[in-house]
Amino acid sequence: MKKTYKLIALDIDGTVLGRHYRVAPETKRVLAQAMARGVRVTLATGRGFPGALPVAREIGANAPLVTHDGAYVADPATGKVLFERRIELPVVRTAVELLQPLGLFIHLLYPDCVVTNQRFRNIRWSLLLPHNWPGLLSILQENRVYRPVYAADLSRYLQQHPVPVPKIYVSGRAEAIQEGRRRLEAALGEALRCTPAGAEALEVVCRGISKATGLRILAAYLGIGMDEILACGDSHNDLEMLSEVGMGVAMGNAPKDVKRIARFVTLSNLENGVAHAVRRFVLN
């Protein structure tokens, strides 16, 4: 008997976003068809909750969002928070002290703002090319809803604003990222989960937290099983999610080790891979 999936969970960057960092019309059509059949659609993303909202609205997501790599689950329609797990303040302070000397860009992703030592956040020079203007507009929109706060010295900022944070995102040179990960795992490995996001970025949440954690919370809230979820992702922070759901789909642009654990490998994000997977397993 064909399996029925009641929830579609989608990563954002490298998955549901295609050319110019936008959602393809075909992807929107296919997701709308799935929702018309009663299927719920959510985002399961490393982005902070405000940063996920523009994409959620664009695809018409009809379920609470799993954000901050599973550390923050909330309903965009009501603002109701279903789950939240923050990194304890002493751990955040130590992490910042370990990372700042390496010249890395550190982003403290709070539920309402991002505090960063990078003055121009989310800049990608390729977006300044004329054919990439839609992508630039998308980034500007994200920055409007996810208020950036610049702090050159994050240690001093945390002294003045002692608030724990759900997630830390780190970017910079590949060598510095590797050293930063080594330092964090050596000093704080029992408290933190560090996941590479390509060679030049690192995603940091509490140990034991992942997108799968957030999806378990959401599934219980919706009254469905994890085996009734189809999830699509393209990166290492998707590994647990793809392993635990009923149908874990790796994007065609995903690394080999992500593809290896998935039950199905779809087309790339530039080839409407999400639409292809949803047609095959939900609409077909």
Side-chain angles (χ1 to χ4, degrees), residues 59 61 66 77 86 107-108 110 150 153 238:
I59 66 173
V66 176
R86 297 196 183 206
H107 316 270
L108 306 179
Y110 290 96
Y150 173 68
D153 186 342
D238 297 309

Side-chain angles (χ1 to χ4, degrees), residues 25 138 190:
S138 175
E190 294 185 359

Side-chain angles (χ1 to χ4, degrees), residues 2-16:
K2 180 180 180 294
K3 181 68 179 178
T4 299
Y5 297 105
K6 298 180 179 179
L7 174 66
I8 299 170
L10 304 172
D11 172 53
I12 294 181
D13 299 285
T15 300
V16 75

